[in-house]
Amino acid sequence: MRALDDDLLEIWVSGWAQARGYRTRHEGRFPAALLHDRTNDWEYFALEPSHDEFAALASSARHSPTRLFTIVTTRVNEVHGAASVYGMQIRSSDEVLMVADMEGQDIEAPVLPWDSFSVESTHENQVGIVTVFDAGSPIASGRMAVTDGYAVFDRIVTEPAYRRRGLGSYVMRALTALALEDDADAGLLIASADGQELYRYLGWESLAAVVMFEPRL
């Protein structure tokens, strides 16, 4: 697996946007995605920006109160300080970028944890979606997209009443099986604080913190 660099961030953004159907563009070296289903505005992404780059991103973000930018960093304290200088506020700071080798993942015949549950999956154009149902209601789901040999996992969700039953592990293993059909060598995802324990259990490793900013109004 390659080291964390601009190319790896680009791969994550590309796969994430592909999984969600987002349009992408660049501003300088920074990729961005149009969040058409949320804010209908752009979210920019940067790995370890310099202070000048942070200032430029903050200036761009202030063009619109709904614009976001997200920094992937190992220097969290520094970016918190820059945010206060350049008029940005933290929207979230408890996520991490994680990576895993697909070869080491356990995907052999994943079994639903309860006989009463059913599953539907789709797999087309290197995008896979898995949804688990209980009596026709969706209770767990996730999706992934493969780009440049990486499977980017996204929106791995279990309804609160069904957590701690193995559904998150099931969805991840089912998606990994689809990713291997597309010849993915490694996986990337951004994990919330709640999800990090599951992913570490499944063999994922943390690369850097992920901090999202928005303009201070």
Side-chain angles (χ1 to χ4, degrees):
M1 292 180 287
R2 71 178 73 182
L4 178 57
D5 56 16
D6 284 346
D7 289 339
L8 194 63
L9 178 62
E10 180 83 28
I11 288 171
W12 178 83
V13 173
S14 178
W16 176 76
Q18 183 181 354
R20 296 192 178 201
Y22 289 159
R23 183 159 61 94
T24 60
R25 72 180 186 189
H26 279 78
E27 185 165 315
R29 73 180 179 97
F30 303 122
L34 181 61
L35 312 186
H36 63 78
D37 59 342
R38 293 166 55 193
T39 62
N40 202 33
D41 204 340
W42 294 92
E43 180 176 358
Y44 289 85
F45 300 87
L47 173 65
E48 306 290 16
S50 67
H51 277 277
D52 287 345
E53 289 172 330
F54 196 108
L57 287 167
S59 177
S60 174
R62 287 195 297 271
H63 290 170
S64 170
T66 56
R67 190 160 296 177
L68 305 171
F69 78 92
T70 295
I71 289 180
V72 178
T73 182
T74 57
R75 305 194 304 267
V76 174
N77 290 339
E78 284 187 32
V79 299
H80 283 202
S84 63
V85 170
Y86 296 115
M88 302 297 290
Q89 63 186 9
I90 295 170
R91 181 164 175 158
S92 67
S93 61
D94 60 354
E95 296 181 319
V96 296
L97 178 65
M98 305 187 79
V99 66
D101 186 339
M102 290 291 96
E103 184 178 346
Q105 294 296 297
D106 174 17
I107 54 88
E108 184 172 350
V111 177
L112 280 169
W114 297 86
D115 291 340
S116 61
F117 298 162
S118 61
V119 63
E120 291 182 3
S121 64
T122 61
H123 187 204
E124 186 176 3
N125 297 324
Q126 295 190 304
V127 175
I129 301 173
V130 172
T131 307
V132 181
F133 297 88
D134 183 11
S137 297
I139 58 173
S141 61
R143 59 185 61 205
M144 71 84 204
V146 174
T147 181
D148 284 349
Y150 280 81
V152 177
F153 292 75
D154 183 43
R155 287 179 169 167
I156 312 300
V157 177
T158 301
E159 292 299 314
Y162 290 87
R163 291 173 184 168
R164 305 294 180 183
R165 302 194 194 185
L167 288 170
S169 295
Y170 173 84
V171 169
M172 285 295 295
R173 290 184 170 113
L175 289 170
T176 299
L178 299 180
L180 289 175
E181 292 180 17
D182 292 328
D183 299 323
D185 297 316
L188 289 168
L189 58 79
I190 287 183
S192 66
D194 291 339
Q196 290 166 35
E197 181 180 354
L198 167 64
Y199 302 130
R200 290 193 182 98
Y201 169 75
L202 295 176
W204 290 69
E205 299 176 1
S206 298
L207 288 175
V210 178
V211 187
M212 180 185 290
F213 297 90
E214 60 187 356
R216 183 182 295 122
L217 303 179

